[in-house]
Amino acid sequence: MDDHGILANLYGASQDRRRLTAALGAIRDVTGARTVTLQWFRRTDERLRTTGFETCLSVPFISSKGGWADFQNPRMLALVNPPSDGISFFEDSACPDFLQPDLRRWQARFIPFGIGRFLGARVNLRPDREVGLALHARHGGPDLPSDARDLLAGLMPHVREALRLIEQAEEKESGARVMANTLALLEQPVAVVRTDGEIVYANEAARRLLAEAGLLPARGPAAAEGERKIAALVGHLLDPKAAPHGCRFTAGGRTLFVQRAWLEGAGEEDGGGDGGDRLMMLAFNDHGKALDICPDRLRTCFDITRSEAELLAALCAGSDIAAFAARRRVSIHTARTQLKQLMAKTDVRRQADLVRMALATPVASLRRTH
């Protein structure tokens, strides 16, 4: 079967979706069909509804954007597609007599495009999801080969597994996009790395900090040195004797703190992952760098006044009451009164607790631009 690259392209489609079309084209060449179609279905009580579509030939009336056609296609009715735990076949000749007129009207749509007799097979992907693979003979040309049914029977287990791999790959890719978009919102430097030190993703703040610290040079001989330093940092974090969640280190004359968190459930507790394929997220803090928190966000989050939000932002950035009062040109008494009002509104008793509470909120990490 795979002398024509059918299976290689089916399973390779999880890495390159275009290979799915190539697999269908190879099946067409083997069978002499006019076209080969692959459809994803969601089962309802009345019919199968198309949720995805692939073909090696553009076919009108049936497409990923043409789900309305399911209501006109008699082949999609549940009564001719009963639930099955195995591989089910459907041929036009097996359609009930009372549906034959509807079937002929449907088929007439495709005759101008040279599409004739239909032979399909379907199998479950999950309880409410199915996939169908169909051969369409050439209208007025040679019929499908006598072993076409056996070919579909042999292909369907591979089709099911290949589509499961495609779904897993697409879910992973979608998750990566969501993660990147989320991390891009953070003001705090955050990077995702493999356990071999390769940086998979770094948000804007992380790229800037790592570049300034000589850990992420743009190019040239220094790039390799930066990669070695990142690998050494990751190796230190993975050392069983190291602190469980992070460490402090010096790079580029700066003292940096880093905290780690495993992604994809591949932590040291379960021994998951596969060597360098395991991912961890690193959150960096630059010791001595003042935190710049947007007062407007603090104001919305804690329902406080503008002046109280500015005071809280200053305290989070490391300022004290006297410095804040001098900068705002108000008396120390006024600043202390604002602090008392702020603590009363947020229900804390100590200034240190107030700052910790503010820094623990998401607004402390979000970028101003968002």
Side-chain angles (χ1 to χ4, degrees):
M1 179 188 300
D2 213 34
D3 291 345
H4 300 272
I6 296 173
L7 298 185
N9 281 309
L10 273 177
Y11 287 107
S14 63
Q15 303 300 316
D16 183 353
R17 184 65 179 264
R18 292 172 298 182
R19 297 187 66 176
L20 196 56
T21 304
L24 299 181
I27 297 172
R28 177 194 58 195
D29 295 341
V30 169
T31 60
R34 168 62 170 157
T35 186
V36 179
T37 57
L38 184 67
Q39 285 177 262
W40 289 259
F41 302 119
R42 177 176 57 84
R43 175 174 288 278
T44 69
D45 292 338
E46 294 80 19
R47 63 184 67 245
L48 301 180
R49 297 301 314 279
T50 302
T51 60
F53 181 84
E54 289 286 347
T55 182
C56 54
L57 175 69
S58 179
V59 182
F61 311 113
I62 305 179
S63 72
S64 58
K65 298 180 180 179
W68 60 270
D70 295 340
F71 291 102
Q72 300 190 24
N73 185 355
R75 296 172 185 152
M76 296 296 100
L77 290 172
L79 68 90
V80 293
N81 294 281
S84 173
D85 293 331
I87 300 171
S88 299
F89 293 90
F90 182 69
E91 299 182 67
D92 290 347
S93 59
C95 193
D97 290 342
F98 75 92
L99 287 175
Q100 287 295 332
D102 292 333
L103 185 60
R104 285 192 292 271
R105 282 192 292 270
W106 175 256
Q107 186 61 40
R109 295 171 176 258
F110 302 98
I111 291 176
F113 303 95
I115 297 175
R117 190 173 77 86
F118 165 94
L119 172 63
R122 60 185 175 82
V123 68
N124 289 346
L125 286 176
R126 58 187 70 158
D128 63 336
R129 295 282 305 282
E130 301 179 23
V131 60
L133 179 64
L135 307 177
H136 303 265
R138 296 177 180 273
H139 178 69
D143 200 359
L144 297 171
S146 58
D147 63 348
R149 190 182 180 99
D150 293 336
L151 176 67
L152 287 179
L155 278 174
M156 291 311 292
H158 297 288
V159 169
R160 175 168 54 189
E161 185 60 28
L163 294 189
R164 284 175 175 171
L165 292 174
I166 290 173
E167 287 185 347
Q168 290 173 8
E170 290 179 344
E171 288 174 1
K172 185 175 181 180
E173 181 180 349
S174 176
R177 286 196 300 269
V178 171
M179 179 182 68
N181 291 338
T182 301
L183 297 185
L185 297 175
L186 301 181
E187 182 67 33
Q188 182 178 14
V190 177
V192 177
V193 301
R194 301 189 191 278
T195 53
D196 60 5
E198 178 189 355
I199 297 178
V200 177
Y201 174 82
N203 66 4
E204 178 184 337
R207 289 195 298 271
R208 184 169 58 248
L209 174 61
L210 295 177
E212 292 171 355
L215 297 173
L216 191 65
R219 60 179 64 86
E225 179 63 22
E227 291 173 358
R228 283 193 291 270
K229 290 179 180 178
I230 287 288
L233 167 61
V234 173
H236 176 73
L237 291 170
L238 293 174
D239 189 333
K241 299 178 181 179
H245 298 295
C247 69
R248 180 177 62 183
F249 68 103
T250 302
R254 313 168 76 138
T255 299
L256 304 177
F257 295 90
V258 61
Q259 291 177 292
R260 73 171 189 193
W262 290 103
L263 296 178
E264 299 182 352
E268 65 271 50
E269 296 84 356
D270 57 16
D274 182 17
D277 288 336
R278 296 166 62 191
L279 298 177
M280 72 168 90
M281 184 170 66
L282 303 182
F284 297 89
N285 286 294
D286 189 358
H287 182 61
K289 181 179 179 181
L291 214 60
D292 184 17
I293 301 178
C294 179
D296 287 337
R297 288 207 173 113
L298 292 174
R299 181 181 179 183
T300 301
C301 182
F302 295 107
D303 192 22
I304 55 180
T305 67
R306 172 72 187 183
S307 59
E308 290 167 348
E310 290 176 348
L311 171 58
L312 182 53
L315 295 176
C316 290
S319 182
D320 57 29
I321 290 292
F324 174 78
R327 188 168 65 253
R328 291 295 305 276
R329 296 182 180 179
V330 298
S331 68
I332 188 68
H333 174 73
T334 298
R336 285 174 176 164
T337 300
Q338 288 179 342
L339 178 59
K340 289 179 181 178
Q341 294 172 340
L342 180 57
M343 293 172 68
K345 288 183 178 180
T346 53
D347 195 27
V348 297
R349 297 183 178 182
R350 298 189 305 164
Q351 181 177 321
D353 293 334
L354 176 66
V355 172
R356 276 195 293 269
M357 180 186 65
L359 294 178
T361 62
V363 298
S365 297
L366 292 176
R367 296 174 56 191
R368 287 175 179 268
T369 53
H370 294 274

